[in-house]
Amino acid sequence: MAARSFRRAGLCSAVALSLLIIADPTPAQIVVYDPSNFSQNVLTAARELQQVNNQIQSLANEAQMLTNQARNLASLPLSTLSQLQTTIQKTQSLLAQAQHIAFEVEQIETAFATTYGPTSATASSSGLLATAQTRWRNSVAAFEDSLKVQAGVVGNISGNGSAMSSLTSASQTATGALQAAQAGNQLLALQSQQLSDLIAVVAAKSRADALEQSRITAAESQGQEQYRRFSTRSGYQPGNVTMFHGN
């Protein structure tokens, strides 16, 4: 009787355990490896990584382009403009100091209508002498002015050489197109200033030569008039003159 009761109790326990297992709602999870899907995911990740690299390279190129633009737009830190302007002003000042007859059309016209014009037949002897002295002083002053201009231009050579050296060095070490262009423009300005100096020298020398030639021409005209007056004086009789008496 006891044994039968024990078997009956064990059977009930087994049935209850089976019910518990059947009633468990948790489903079984099984991991499945799909090689095709995995390869596709790897390819997709590689493409996305390549796109990121391309974007990084594009940003790097844009940054380099902006850097180059900044260099091309950078101004030249060297400027010789004020020095060139000062040099030109010095030469202009020397030309403005021209004595007696300046580099002006009106003064030249007046001088050649009076001092350098044809000798008047009614001018007094003292007037002719004064006019001749005026022409002589004009010539001497013109040669003095010419020498001053030449000396000033020669004095500019040292400063021009220093400026040319600095600009050439700046052009060779320019970091961008703007700096190179500005250095080139300043070199052209330096050449223009040197050309102006050369023109000033030629003008001053030509002025002196022209006044001297004009003096010589006017002196010939005046000499002819003085000879005419001398030869037509009343009481003058040409004759032989004995300069030396022999023993």
Side-chain angles (χ1 to χ4, degrees), residues 17-41:
L17 181 60
S18 299
L19 291 175
L20 288 174
I21 294 174
I22 294 173
D24 188 1
T26 303
Q29 296 182 357
I30 300 175
V31 178
V32 179
Y33 174 73
D34 187 351
S36 177
N37 187 41
F38 179 77
S39 300
Q40 186 64 35
N41 291 337

Side-chain angles (χ1 to χ4, degrees), residues 124-151:
S124 63
S125 297
S126 60
L128 294 178
L129 178 60
T131 303
Q133 289 178 340
T134 298
R135 290 193 295 263
W136 178 81
R137 285 193 295 268
N138 289 345
S139 292
V140 173
F143 283 116
E144 180 184 356
D145 295 336
S146 176
L147 291 174
K148 287 180 180 179
V149 173
Q150 292 177 31

Side-chain angles (χ1 to χ4, degrees), residues 64-84:
Q64 185 62 42
M65 181 179 65
L66 293 175
T67 301
N68 293 336
Q69 289 179 353
R71 290 177 178 176
N72 288 332
L73 296 176
S75 298
L76 189 71
L78 173 66
S79 177
T80 60
L81 180 59
S82 60
Q83 177 183 345
L84 296 179

Side-chain angles (χ1 to χ4, degrees), residues 51-61:
Q51 291 179 356
V52 172
N53 289 335
N54 292 339
Q55 291 176 353
I56 293 175
Q57 185 61 43
S58 177
L59 292 174
N61 292 338

Side-chain angles (χ1 to χ4, degrees), residues 153-186:
V153 170
V154 170
N156 294 336
I157 293 177
S158 177
N160 290 342
S162 176
M164 181 175 62
S165 177
S166 299
L167 290 173
T168 302
S169 176
S171 176
Q172 293 175 345
T173 59
T175 60
L178 180 60
Q179 289 189 0
Q182 289 178 335
N185 290 338
Q186 292 191 51

